[in-house]
């Protein structure tokens, strides 16, 4: 019997060309869904015939209600080895195996620097003026050498960002709840006394934390007001770490100079969202992990996950423990 597999949220139409799916051809019929399906009833209808679903990161939440409405589902593969939008306990209770894939820390670290550099040198403003016949030079960029980069989080991605900052001649501060001075020093950073100390001293602040109960809303109005008026905030991690209402006020009222954002509370970002039009925001549509190499890993290992499951020996299983 041929099984059915849907690959969700394949915006670029890259899923089926980023890996060799032919090894599954005699057992699984694979289709890619190019658009994001936010409507729950439409999503259920789309997946009703599927025993296997491949989800892209946390774009589509699989909570208990959705899982209950997909009785045929037996294998759910997520790109990456962590996905907070999947209810692993509910999946286990329904007999759904959840597997993950590898993921590189390099692409989001690189995009962090694209946003930071774009902000510091006003790239979008100057590029638009050049293309549209506007003024020849209208901004004065910020230097990076000698400035201070504050990193909230110094894990795999934060460490890579810190090393690049050192190459630019920047001073690097880092803070997270469990970060030690020794660990910070190994990455070329100095441990800030606390979160507020980091915010007060930094010219650029970049977030590299996992979203959890402890980090949700970590930056609210008091924290954003503590930042320097000329400082920029970069978030390629999770939108909910920053209070949205406070961020909008900070950008509109000039508490900070601007923000580079790759993550949003609602994705895709609604067409009328003010973050699309604020002049001091440089935003990208959650591209942190979107590179050829990462997609190759995601989908090649998704194929491996499916094959292993069908052979009765699933690999890279995600559990709630």
């Amino acid at each position: 019997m041929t099984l059915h597999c849907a690959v969700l949220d394949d915006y670029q139409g890259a899923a089926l060309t980023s890996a060799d799916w032919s090894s599954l051809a005699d057992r699984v019929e694979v289709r890619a869904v190019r658009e994001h399906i936010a409507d729950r009833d439409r999503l259920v209808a789309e997946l009703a015939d599927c025993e296997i679903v491949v989800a892209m990161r946390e774009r589509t939440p699989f909570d208990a209600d959705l899982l209950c409405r997909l009785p045929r589902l037996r294998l759910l593969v997520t790109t990456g080895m962590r996905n907070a939008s999947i209810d692993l306990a509910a999946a286990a209770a329904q007999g759904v195996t959840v597997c993950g894939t590898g993921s590189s820390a390099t692409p989001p670290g690189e995009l962090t620097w694209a946003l930071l550099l774009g902000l510091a040198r006003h790239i979008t403003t100057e590029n638009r003026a050049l293309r549209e016949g506007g003024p020849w030079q209208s901004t004065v960029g910020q230097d990076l050498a000698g400035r201070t980069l504050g990193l909230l989080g110094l894990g795999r991605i934060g460490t890579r960002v810190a090393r690049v900052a050192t190459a630019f001649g920047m001073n690097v501060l880092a803070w997270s709840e469990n970060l030690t001075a020794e660990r910070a020093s190994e990455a070329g950073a100095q441990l800030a006394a606390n979160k507020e100390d980091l915010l007060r001293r930094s010219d650029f602040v970049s977030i590299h934390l996992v979203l959890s109960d402890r980090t949700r809303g970590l930056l609210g109005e008091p924290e954003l007001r503590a930042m320097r008026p000329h400082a920029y905030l970069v978030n390629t991690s999770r939108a909910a770490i920053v209070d949205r209402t406070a961020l909008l006020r900070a950008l509109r009222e000039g508490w900070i100079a601007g923000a580079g954002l790759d993550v949003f509370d609602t994705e895709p970002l609604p067409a009328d969202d003010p973050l699309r039009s604020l002049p001091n925001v440089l935003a990208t549509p959650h591209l942190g992990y979107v590179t050829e190499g990462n997609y190759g890993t995601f989908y090649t290992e998704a194929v491996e996950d499916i094959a292993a499951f069908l052979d009765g020996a699933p690999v890279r299983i995600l559990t709630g423990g």
Side-chain angles (χ1 to χ4, degrees):
M1 181 181 70
T2 301
L3 303 181
H4 295 86
C5 170
V7 182
L8 293 179
D9 298 299
D10 181 23
Y11 295 150
Q12 300 95 345
L16 301 186
T17 57
S18 294
D20 182 1
W21 296 78
S22 63
S23 62
L24 303 175
D26 60 342
R27 296 186 286 178
V28 183
E29 180 181 298
V30 181
R31 66 176 184 269
V33 180
R34 292 288 304 272
E35 64 174 327
H36 176 71
I37 304 177
D39 181 81
R40 184 60 60 97
D41 292 335
R42 278 190 61 207
L43 183 62
V44 169
E46 177 66 42
L47 302 181
D49 66 332
C50 291
E51 292 84 7
I52 304 167
V53 171
V54 178
M56 172 54 79
R57 307 301 296 126
E58 297 171 352
R59 288 177 183 170
T60 303
F62 282 83
D63 54 24
D65 173 70
L66 178 58
L67 290 165
C68 186
R69 295 178 66 184
L70 299 173
R72 294 178 65 98
L73 185 64
R74 289 293 172 264
L75 174 65
L76 176 58
V77 177
T78 176
T79 53
M81 287 300 295
R82 181 189 293 117
N83 191 324
S85 71
I86 297 176
D87 188 331
L88 295 175
Q94 194 168 307
V96 177
T97 300
V98 181
C99 297
T101 73
S103 180
S104 172
T106 301
E110 292 174 348
L111 186 69
T112 295
W113 280 105
L115 291 172
L116 195 154
L117 288 165
L119 288 166
R121 300 302 293 271
H122 308 287
I123 296 297
T124 53
T125 298
E126 296 290 0
N127 178 257
R128 186 182 302 112
L130 187 147
R131 287 177 175 273
E132 297 176 359
W136 186 263
Q137 298 185 8
S138 62
T139 64
V140 178
Q142 285 200 27
D143 297 278
L144 296 187
R147 295 295 179 97
T148 297
L149 172 64
L151 298 175
L152 292 169
L154 198 62
R156 290 195 309 155
I157 299 172
T159 295
R160 289 177 178 272
V161 173
R163 289 173 178 157
V164 175
T166 301
F168 274 119
M170 300 184 77
N171 305 307
V172 184
L173 291 176
W175 177 87
S176 64
E177 283 198 355
N178 299 314
L179 183 63
T180 65
E182 180 181 11
R183 173 70 187 87
S185 179
E186 290 173 356
Q190 175 190 349
L191 178 65
N194 49 49
K195 175 180 59 177
E196 290 71 23
D197 176 56
L198 180 142
L199 295 171
R200 284 194 301 267
R201 296 167 59 190
S202 297
D203 302 296
F204 300 88
V205 174
S206 188
I207 301 171
H208 302 286
L209 295 164
V210 174
L211 181 61
S212 67
D213 291 339
R214 290 192 302 178
T215 62
R216 186 179 299 274
L218 186 72
L219 298 188
E221 180 171 338
E223 290 78 17
L224 293 172
R225 285 190 180 277
M227 291 177 62
R228 298 175 172 184
H230 69 262
Y232 289 100
L233 176 68
V234 177
N235 189 2
T236 58
S237 181
R238 290 292 182 269
I241 294 172
V242 183
D243 180 85
R244 173 184 164 85
T245 301
L247 177 61
L248 287 172
R249 283 196 64 194
L251 292 166
R252 286 169 171 155
E253 298 177 17
W255 308 350
I256 60 176
L261 306 174
D262 187 49
V263 288
F264 308 92
D265 291 294
T266 300
E267 295 183 6
L269 191 65
D272 61 351
D273 194 288
L275 290 174
R276 286 183 178 265
S277 56
L278 282 170
N280 53 352
V281 171
L282 175 57
T284 48
H286 206 153
L287 297 177
Y289 54 86
V290 182
T291 65
E292 293 178 355
N294 229 17
Y295 268 31
T297 298
F298 285 167
Y299 292 117
T300 296
E301 295 194 5
V303 171
E304 294 172 358
D305 287 348
I306 295 169
F309 175 80
L310 295 178
D311 292 338
V315 295
R316 293 185 283 267
I317 299 174
L318 275 62
T319 64

